[in-house]
């Protein structure tokens, strides 16, 4: 699957479109944009992270956020 800015389908995803799509496949609705996903999250200690948790972090001081789906501990 190719990266596509603004993409939300298997024809092409951007980061937040992909996480929204993956969560929707298991019946969890999350907001579309990465900032909204971040603002509607809770902070937990790294030790409490579980498979499937959305990990959001700042990228080297840049004003944009990056994220990924945790695959395991």
């Amino acid at each position: 699957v190719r990266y596509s800015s603004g993409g939300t389908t298997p024809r092409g995803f951007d980061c937040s479109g992909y996480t929204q799509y993956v969560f929707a496949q298991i019946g969890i609705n999350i907001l579309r944009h990465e900032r909204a996903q971040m603002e509607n999250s809770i902070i937990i200690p790294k030790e409490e992270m579980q498979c499937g948790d959305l990990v959001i972090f700042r990228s080297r001081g840049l004003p944009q956020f990056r994220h990924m789906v945790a695959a395991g501990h």
Side-chain angles (χ1 to χ4, degrees):
V1 176
R2 292 182 165 256
Y3 176 85
S4 176
S5 181
T8 60
T9 72
R11 296 175 88 181
F13 290 109
D14 66 11
C15 297
S16 56
Y18 178 71
T19 56
Q20 183 187 45
Y21 178 86
V22 168
F23 278 76
Q25 300 311 298
I26 57 171
I28 300 172
N29 294 315
I30 63 173
L31 297 171
R32 166 67 182 93
H33 298 283
E34 59 189 29
R35 182 167 295 276
Q37 291 176 3
M38 180 204 62
E39 290 172 350
N40 288 279
S41 298
I42 60 169
I43 297 172
I44 61 169
K46 182 171 65 172
E47 300 77 33
E48 292 180 22
M49 199 168 75
Q50 297 179 18
C51 292
D53 283 350
L54 194 59
V55 178
I56 304 171
F57 56 94
R58 231 182 141 112
S59 180
R60 297 190 181 201
L62 296 175
Q64 62 210 46
F65 290 85
R66 301 287 185 234
H67 58 251
M68 64 182 210
V69 177
H73 290 55

